[in-house]
Amino acid sequence: MAGTMQAVLMATAGDPAVLQGVERPVPSPGPGEVLVRVAAAGVNFMDMGVRRGQFWTEIPMPRVPGVEGAGRVVAVGPDVQDFAPGQRVAWAYVPGSYADHVVAPAAALVPVPDGIDDEAAASVMMQGLTASHFATEFYPVQPGDVALVHAAAGGVGLLLTQIIKLRGGRVIGRVSSAGKADIARAAGADHVIVDADGQFAAEAVRLSGGEGVNVVYDGSGPATFQGSLDALKVAGTLCWYGPILGGPGPLDIMSLPRSIKIGYAVFADHVRTPERLRSHAAQLFQWMLDGQLRPTIGRRYRLADAARAHADMESRATTGKLLLVPGLAG
């Protein structure tokens, strides 16, 4: 397809300054592929890992980061039957999404229903499917369960809190600063612990009624690992996620207390086939249409300001979902 597009390119791994806005030719879709005009692209922690050189080592430089977004189909390649030009779609994992056009495998796309705008759709794909996996499949929350949610004012934490609540659970949210507490409460957290130093376990046990929580959702890295174990009740579950901050190191399984269970949750397992991707995405969209799930957009940035978006996310001062919005006025 003729014409040019705007994209964010990295020629080397490094700090946010390696992200540079460029102009490139608009690609054409091949067999089984769809060309989409991007209306909004999600900014995720995994994008930080790509930028630093932790992930995508098999993809040569220069490369366009980003994996998540929503937009409208421009053209379809041969053998594509599920989508047509003009249709609105969203995706959780299509490399190269920091651009105003992207070529996506048709199998990676989901249709977006009327009533959900592009920014809302982009906001719930990766983080919403992640939260869905955690609370409906990895540890299916039951009515009355008490969950401790780390980073409760972040993109995953806010969606996870809402899904736990709609399944009948109670939420103790942990946030790193007092300014984030009201945001966590607005999402439905029953209690909020303000803690930046990993001193949260005793308070979580107290708030749970003294027995400990049924499940901890912890993507905060090694600094919180021991506290998360200490917060669990007998036979409780620790849902560990987020590869960017690293793991807790070797574990002696026979030293684990209170018959607890530990697992590493990966959102890709939730959407391992196109059918599962579309089914779980449709559930998220239905919750949104029913008013049970409300994404929180923390900040919007121009494509040219992708470096600033990364720096803001790494500062841990942001809340909600960060989006790159092609065409956003500067």
Side-chain angles (χ1 to χ4, degrees):
M1 176 169 290
T4 60
M5 69 176 194
Q6 302 299 313
V8 176
L9 200 68
M10 53 179 288
T12 185
D15 65 20
V18 304
L19 300 178
Q20 299 291 323
V22 299
E23 193 171 90
R24 307 183 92 188
V26 174
S28 297
E33 294 181 334
V34 176
L35 176 66
V36 181
R37 178 179 293 110
V38 180
V43 180
N44 294 287
F45 270 106
M46 79 154 293
D47 302 341
M48 315 292 130
V50 169
R51 194 201 72 229
R52 296 173 193 160
Q54 293 171 264
F55 308 133
W56 292 9
T57 54
E58 75 283 2
I59 300 178
M61 298 285 190
R63 65 175 77 121
V64 177
V67 294
E68 173 191 43
R72 193 175 293 274
V73 174
V74 175
V76 300
D79 304 323
V80 173
Q81 299 179 346
D82 295 338
F83 299 100
Q87 187 172 359
R88 296 175 59 235
V89 293
W91 57 95
Y93 194 86
V94 175
S97 292
Y98 282 12
D100 62 20
H101 287 77
V102 67
V103 167
L109 299 174
V110 302
V112 177
D114 294 338
I116 297 177
D117 65 38
D118 293 324
E119 291 188 2
S123 296
V124 299
M125 289 307 295
M126 178 170 276
Q127 292 177 338
L129 290 167
T130 296
S132 171
H133 179 41
F134 294 171
T136 70
E137 187 171 23
F138 184 88
Y139 178 87
V141 172
Q142 302 300 309
D145 280 351
V146 181
L148 171 60
V149 176
H150 287 276
V156 171
L158 291 170
L159 295 171
L160 180 57
T161 292
Q162 293 175 73
I163 294 173
I164 293 167
K165 294 297 293 182
L166 67 85
R167 290 179 63 87
R170 291 171 52 212
V171 174
I172 301 169
R174 173 181 168 265
V175 297
S176 60
S177 64
K180 298 181 178 182
D182 287 345
I183 296 168
R185 290 191 185 96
D190 299 276
H191 306 281
V192 178
I193 299 172
V194 178
D195 162 65
D197 303 315
Q199 306 299 315
F200 57 87
E203 181 68 358
V205 170
R206 185 187 72 80
L207 291 171
S208 72
E211 292 186 358
V213 302
N214 298 85
V215 59
V216 178
Y217 297 101
D218 189 348
S220 294
T224 55
F225 182 75
Q226 186 59 51
S228 291
L229 295 186
D230 295 341
L232 288 168
K233 68 183 300 183
V234 172
T237 298
L238 172 55
C239 174
W240 182 265
Y241 67 96
I244 299 298
L245 296 175
L251 297 174
D252 176 2
I253 195 167
M254 293 179 68
S255 72
L256 297 179
R258 300 183 302 285
S259 298
I260 62 172
K261 299 174 285 292
I262 300 175
Y264 179 60
V266 179
F267 106 100
D269 293 331
H270 197 53
V271 292
R272 56 190 179 270
T273 66
E275 294 75 23
R276 287 176 62 90
L277 170 65
R278 290 171 188 165
S279 173
H280 289 308
Q283 176 66 85
L284 291 176
F285 292 148
Q286 190 59 55
W287 282 334
M288 293 166 70
L289 291 170
D290 292 342
Q292 294 179 293
L293 188 68
R294 298 179 179 86
T296 300
I297 298 173
R299 296 184 190 177
R300 299 170 177 85
Y301 303 82
R302 300 180 304 158
L303 275 177
D305 294 328
R308 193 177 111 207
H310 275 225
D312 288 349
M313 178 171 277
E314 288 181 326
S315 75
R316 309 294 286 188
T318 61
T319 60
K321 184 69 180 180
L322 307 188
L323 293 176
L324 301 180
V325 181
L328 183 68

